[in-house]
Amino acid sequence: MKKMWRGLMTGILGISMLFGALGSVSAATPKDIQGHWAQSQLQDWLDKGYLQGYADGTVKPNNAITRGEYVALVNRLFGFTDTAAITFTDLKSTNWAYSEVAKAVRAGYIGGYENNTFRATSPITRQEAAVITAKLLSLNTNTTTLAFKDSAQIASWAKGAVAAAAAKSIINGYPDGTFGPKKALTRAEAVGIIGNSAANKPGGTVTPTPTPTATPSATATPTPTATPTSPAGGGSGGGGGSTAPTVSGITYGHVGSVTADVYMTPSVTGAVYYVVAPYSSTAVAPNHLQVRDGLTAAGTAGVNAGTTAAIAGSTVSFSVYGLQASTEYAAYIAVADTAGSWSGVYTLRLTTASASGGAITELSPGTIGTVTADVYVTYGQTGGIATPVRYVVLPAGATQPTAEQIAAGQNSSGAQLAAPWSGGLTPVPGVKQTLTLNSLTADTAYKVYVISGSGTSWSPVEILRIHTKQP
């Protein structure tokens, strides 16, 4: 183990710039680590040349370490060299951290934020470091029971990771019994966590990348702007020198109270994967494997997830359902080509429409056959006032009709539709009903439009895509 550890630490040589090194610290104990809780480990690293300090003879162990600096240390220690295609709005390709972040995204242990920023110059928090640790070591994060006094302050997406890392003593709490999840990680803490992570690496060995000859200073980043159509990070790019898959034009065509219609264009032929979860300001994008498995960054199931075939340069669309009215969601999207190369993870934010007491509360697919399909519909609340429920079924590429046209059983041109292309359901508030569609065409995509209400007062239009099976 001692020999292995010595080999691992070689990968940290030359990363002194990340610790603000302007010159070597003397062999004597620097004054600012004397009596420090990490004095022994810091001194050991200094003595062996794993760590350098500042020209004034200090190490500044309590200074915060940034997200960019942290991933650079991890990449070099764990030997990550492959890069993903990234387009974070606050990280230019000329920034020294750009390639390090691209490696981290490719390795799948970190992603960006919901507004397509990475914030490389922002301090990394202790709970973020715990999540990185859990991903690096493939820790079991199913247990979220924590004994820290401030456990309630740990974000839901980090609880499992904190519990797993603490259980292995990779990241410990403070003497007062707290964890400090939102505290900025210090340089001394980073040394301890990365060292402990390397010692617990599955398989017992890692191959550090060669030490760079120089690391340029970090540059200021522009103020980020939110965008729903660029990678949010977290996925891996293509390997073997190929161009990583990308997705463009991600947008929604329509958003109701409980459904949404999403469109995008992949650059490759393969499959598009997506997972949907409630959005929050602290949300972290899942990596591409989590998106593939329908999971959030916290490892929990999304409210809706799925996959659909993709053809390079052609529009792909799908319905999101299982949503709640007046709620903001994030749809995380990734595409894989037929060779197994992945895009980054893209984020589309949307807010569902408000709804009255008699609005549609569920619209979801049931059994789909070659010429038949079942659709589940629920509206209102049990015991509520009964109102009409109307629907029309149109080819997936048809223009969306208005609520008034749906109520009248018409398409967007005002042409009258006959059964089974239009009709209504027995109004029973709060009860799931099955709408059975017949006489469909095999291997064909349709859209089902559903509303509830009466007169000129109708609920938001809800849309559900279905695709009949091949004969």
Side-chain angles (χ1 to χ4, degrees):
M1 175 63 73
K2 183 176 182 180
K3 182 177 181 181
M4 181 194 76
W5 178 250
R6 185 172 298 142
L8 297 179
M9 290 302 97
T10 303
I12 299 180
L13 292 173
I15 309 179
S16 57
M17 187 62 196
L18 297 179
F19 285 92
L22 299 177
S24 298
V25 177
S26 64
T29 301
K31 59 183 179 182
D32 63 344
I33 70 169
Q34 293 179 14
H36 194 278
W37 62 267
Q39 177 179 339
S40 177
Q41 186 170 20
L42 289 168
Q43 186 63 56
D44 182 59
W45 282 32
L46 288 167
D47 292 343
K48 294 177 180 178
Y50 302 153
L51 176 66
Q52 291 183 320
Y54 291 83
D56 62 0
T58 63
V59 176
K60 297 178 173 45
N62 296 325
N63 279 17
I65 185 170
T66 67
R67 284 166 54 84
E69 292 168 346
Y70 194 82
V71 300
L73 284 171
V74 170
N75 291 341
R76 292 168 190 173
L77 182 59
F78 281 76
F80 297 135
T81 58
D82 291 341
T83 59
I86 57 173
T87 56
F88 297 113
T89 58
D90 63 342
L91 190 60
K92 293 182 178 181
S93 59
T94 54
N95 190 304
W96 74 269
Y98 183 88
S99 62
E100 299 298 340
V101 173
K103 295 173 190 175
V105 169
R106 177 68 172 86
Y109 67 81
I110 195 171
Y113 290 89
E114 67 285 342
N115 62 350
N116 191 35
T117 61
F118 185 83
R119 307 174 195 174
T121 58
S122 296
I124 191 168
T125 65
R126 285 171 53 81
Q127 63 184 0
E128 287 176 331
V131 171
I132 289 175
T133 299
K135 291 181 178 180
L136 283 170
L137 305 181
S138 300
L139 301 181
N140 186 332
T141 59
N142 291 333
T143 299
T144 57
T145 302
L146 295 161
F148 298 112
K149 294 179 179 178
D150 56 352
S151 294
Q153 298 178 24
I154 300 175
S156 59
W157 49 265
K159 285 184 181 293
V162 172
K168 288 185 172 291
S169 297
I170 296 173
I171 303 179
N172 299 310
Y174 292 104
D176 64 357
T178 63
F179 182 78
K182 298 179 182 179
K183 286 186 176 180
L185 191 73
T186 68
R187 299 170 188 250
E189 289 173 331
V191 168
I193 292 170
I194 294 173
N196 291 342
S197 296
N200 283 273
K201 181 73 170 65
T205 60
V206 292
T207 304
T209 55
T211 301
T213 55
T215 303
S217 301
T219 57
T221 56
T223 302
T225 56
T227 173
T229 59
S230 297
S236 62
S242 61
T243 301
T246 59
V247 181
S248 61
I250 301 177
T251 187
Y252 45 80
H254 176 82
V255 180
S257 296
V258 294
T259 62
D261 202 29
V262 178
Y263 296 83
M264 73 209 67
T265 302
S267 66
V268 297
T269 295
V272 168
Y273 297 82
Y274 60 91
V275 62
V276 181
Y279 166 78
S280 71
S281 59
T282 59
V284 175
N287 61 46
H288 68 284
L289 296 179
Q290 290 173 315
V291 173
R292 180 199 64 185
D293 295 337
L295 302 175
T296 66
T300 57
V303 298
N304 186 234
T307 181
T308 185
I311 298 177
S314 298
T315 299
V316 172
S317 54
F318 56 85
S319 286
V320 174
Y321 53 92
L323 310 180
Q324 295 183 354
S326 303
T327 304
E328 189 169 11
Y329 290 90
Y332 301 107
I333 300 163
V335 61
D337 63 19
T338 54
S341 296
W342 284 85
S343 70
V345 175
Y346 294 71
T347 303
L348 173 66
R349 285 169 51 185
L350 56 89
T351 300
T352 51
S354 59
S356 63
I360 305 296
T361 57
E362 177 190 7
L363 181 63
S364 59
T367 302
I368 307 295
T370 55
V371 295
T372 62
D374 286 340
V375 174
Y376 300 128
V377 183
T378 307
Y379 85 98
Q381 303 297 322
T382 302
I385 299 174
T387 59
V389 176
R390 304 291 299 175
Y391 70 88
V392 297
V393 181
L394 296 171
T399 303
Q400 179 180 326
T402 65
E404 290 73 21
Q405 288 172 323
I406 296 171
Q410 301 172 345
N411 63 18
S412 61
S413 300
Q416 194 68 41
L417 302 173
W421 311 111
S422 69
L425 293 174
T426 303
V428 185
V431 177
K432 179 188 288 187
Q433 299 184 69
T434 301
L435 168 61
T436 299
L437 304 175
N438 299 294
S439 302
L440 304 178
T441 302
D443 193 20
T444 302
Y446 295 92
K447 279 186 181 180
V448 182
Y449 300 88
V450 183
I451 59 171
S452 62
S454 61
T456 58
S457 179
W458 296 97
S459 70
V461 176
E462 305 298 341
I463 301 175
L464 181 68
R465 289 175 177 268
I466 58 173
H467 196 293
T468 51
K469 294 181 178 179
Q470 295 181 347

